[in-house]
């Protein structure tokens, strides 16, 4: 699944490629107008939301798509907020939603209501929020020059973060390792990808990967992600390929590229949870799928 800046969602089953000679011209893509503005989060659900697509956007809506029914359900809507990031907890019943003003909202997906007043946890837009797969009480947020780690049990007015990881420039993303080890991957405009272990040392990263992150104004900022097993770091490249690095040494492990097909820069990546597929989305409106 992928989302665009105009609020569309595209669904594509890559294991059922259409016949190139199909007279009907069916490309196998299902196309929905799910939101009225830029979609900032688009992710398949966990727990109660397994098999369903969880989305939020700048139009102030959080929605859930049931692909079997072919319909979106509006979970919550706010006229006052532009939602910039969200993530679910493992049970699929609750979620964290963030906005462009630095506020955090706690959402009960089952009833479609915020469970408490919004909390101002940052001064500016929150780029990402991510719940730690290894500790469901802990989540991380990235904004401006700061990545913060929080305990959901201690969220209240004037809440204090557990750890603050200071970056020299804007941090565009912070994602926990899927293996539950507590490693946190951040992407920063100072041309570095970093791996931290906040519970052990929040003063310095355990690994630093030098990487050109100067995407300019016409390309979405890079957001490095973990491989599905947590044994690699993936990031787009200004050379129009996908780079894979070792999370401990920073050594380049591989590059996925197809110059004749992927002619634009890939800023958004996703790894399939169980299959060796990597999806790379570009500003040209295309998603390129590499099979490892």
């Amino acid at each position: 699944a992928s989302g665009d800046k105009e609020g569309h969602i595209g669904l594509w089953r890559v294991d059922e490629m259409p016949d190139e000679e199909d007279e009907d011209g069916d490309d196998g893509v299902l196309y929905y107008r799910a939101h009225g503005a830029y979609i900032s989060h688009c992710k398949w659900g966990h727990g109660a939301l397994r098999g369903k697509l969880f989305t939020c956007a700048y139009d102030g809506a959080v929605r859930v798509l049931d692909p079997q029914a072919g319909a979106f359900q509006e979970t919550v809507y706010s006229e006052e907020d532009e939602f910039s990031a969200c993530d679910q907890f493992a049970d699929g019943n609750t979620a964290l939603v963030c906005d462009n003003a630095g506020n955090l909202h706690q959402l009960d997906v089952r009833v479609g209501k915020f469970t408490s007043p919004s909390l101002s946890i940052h001064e500016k837009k929150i780029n990402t929020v991510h719940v730690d797969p290894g500790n469901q009480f802990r989540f991380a947020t990235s904004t401006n020059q700061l990545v913060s780690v929080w305990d959901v049990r201690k969220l209240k007015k004037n809440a204090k973060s557990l750890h603050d990881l200071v970056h020299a420039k804007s941090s565009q993303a912070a994602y926990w390792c899927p293996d539950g080890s507590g490693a946190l991957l951040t992407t920063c405009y100072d041309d570095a990808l970093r791996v931290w272990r906040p519970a052990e040392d929040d003063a310095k990263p355990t690994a630093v990967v030098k990487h050109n992150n100067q995407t300019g104004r016409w390309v979405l900022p890079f957001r490095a992600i973990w491989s599905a097993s947590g044994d690699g770091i993936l990031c787009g490249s200004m050379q129009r390929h996908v780079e894979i690095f070792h999370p401990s040494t920073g050594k380049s492990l591989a590059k996925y590229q197809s110059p004749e097909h992927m002619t634009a820069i890939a800023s958004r990546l996703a790894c399939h949870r169980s299959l060796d597929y990597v999806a790379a989305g570009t500003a040209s409106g295309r998603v390129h799928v590499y099979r490892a």
Side-chain angles (χ1 to χ4, degrees):
S2 63
D4 69 18
K5 65 179 182 181
E6 296 178 350
H8 297 100
I9 290 287
L11 299 178
W12 182 34
R13 286 204 61 158
V14 296
D15 59 342
E16 294 183 1
M17 295 289 290
D19 189 338
E20 294 182 359
E21 299 179 359
D22 186 350
E23 295 181 358
D24 295 331
D26 183 8
D27 58 8
V29 176
L30 298 177
Y31 200 50
Y32 297 89
R33 181 66 182 272
H35 291 272
Y38 175 90
I39 295 177
S40 54
H41 177 95
C42 168
K43 189 175 181 180
W44 294 104
H46 303 289
L49 291 179
R50 189 165 184 83
K52 298 181 180 181
L53 190 68
F54 191 66
T55 66
C56 74
Y58 281 15
D59 62 357
V62 178
R63 292 192 168 96
V64 175
L65 167 67
D66 184 343
Q68 300 300 322
F72 276 89
Q73 174 187 351
E74 186 170 279
T75 303
V76 70
Y77 175 71
S78 172
E79 295 183 350
E80 302 175 354
D81 301 300
E82 293 181 331
F83 295 137
S84 58
C86 63
D87 195 22
Q88 318 148 38
F89 290 92
D91 59 10
N93 294 322
T94 52
L96 299 173
V97 185
C98 302
D99 63 32
N100 278 346
N103 298 311
L104 175 75
H105 312 258
Q106 299 181 67
L107 172 65
D108 188 326
V109 179
R110 296 165 293 183
V111 298
K113 292 183 179 180
F114 292 126
T115 58
S116 60
S118 64
L119 298 175
S120 177
I121 61 171
H122 290 295
E123 296 180 354
K124 296 185 178 182
K125 169 188 172 182
I126 298 174
N127 294 317
T128 60
V129 58
H130 192 217
V131 179
D132 184 356
N135 182 348
Q136 289 289 298
F137 295 121
R138 184 168 61 178
F139 67 94
T141 54
S142 64
T143 178
N144 202 22
Q145 295 173 263
L146 192 65
V147 170
S148 297
V149 177
W150 307 84
D151 188 327
V152 71
R153 298 167 296 184
K154 299 179 180 180
L155 290 179
K156 58 183 179 179
K157 187 177 180 180
N158 299 320
K160 300 296 183 181
S161 58
L162 299 176
H163 308 278
D164 287 324
L165 313 178
V166 180
H167 291 64
K169 295 185 178 181
S170 176
S171 176
Q172 291 298 313
Y175 297 122
W176 297 101
C177 187
D179 65 5
S181 63
L184 185 64
L185 170 64
T186 65
T187 307
C188 184
Y189 261 131
D190 66 354
D191 290 341
L193 316 176
R194 294 177 174 86
V195 177
W196 309 73
R197 292 190 177 274
E200 300 173 9
D201 185 358
D202 58 6
K204 59 183 180 180
T206 59
V208 179
V209 179
K210 293 299 182 181
H211 188 272
N212 181 6
N213 294 331
Q214 305 306 308
T215 53
R217 62 179 299 184
W218 303 114
V219 178
L220 282 173
F222 291 136
R223 289 181 177 177
I225 65 169
W226 295 94
S227 64
S229 61
D231 60 354
I233 294 171
L234 291 82
C235 192
S237 167
M238 295 302 290
Q239 281 70 49
R240 297 175 176 82
H241 53 242
V242 178
E243 298 178 289
I244 301 94
F245 302 96
H246 193 284
S248 298
T249 65
K251 180 181 178 181
S252 178
L253 299 177
K255 293 180 181 179
Y256 295 154
Q257 55 190 333
S258 180
E260 68 276 21
H261 295 115
M262 198 168 79
T263 58
I265 296 169
S267 295
R268 296 290 185 264
L269 307 176
C271 292
H272 195 280
R273 293 175 184 171
S274 58
L275 303 176
D276 290 330
Y277 288 177
V278 174
T282 71
S284 65
R286 296 177 178 177
V287 175
H288 302 263
V289 178
Y290 293 92
R291 293 177 174 86

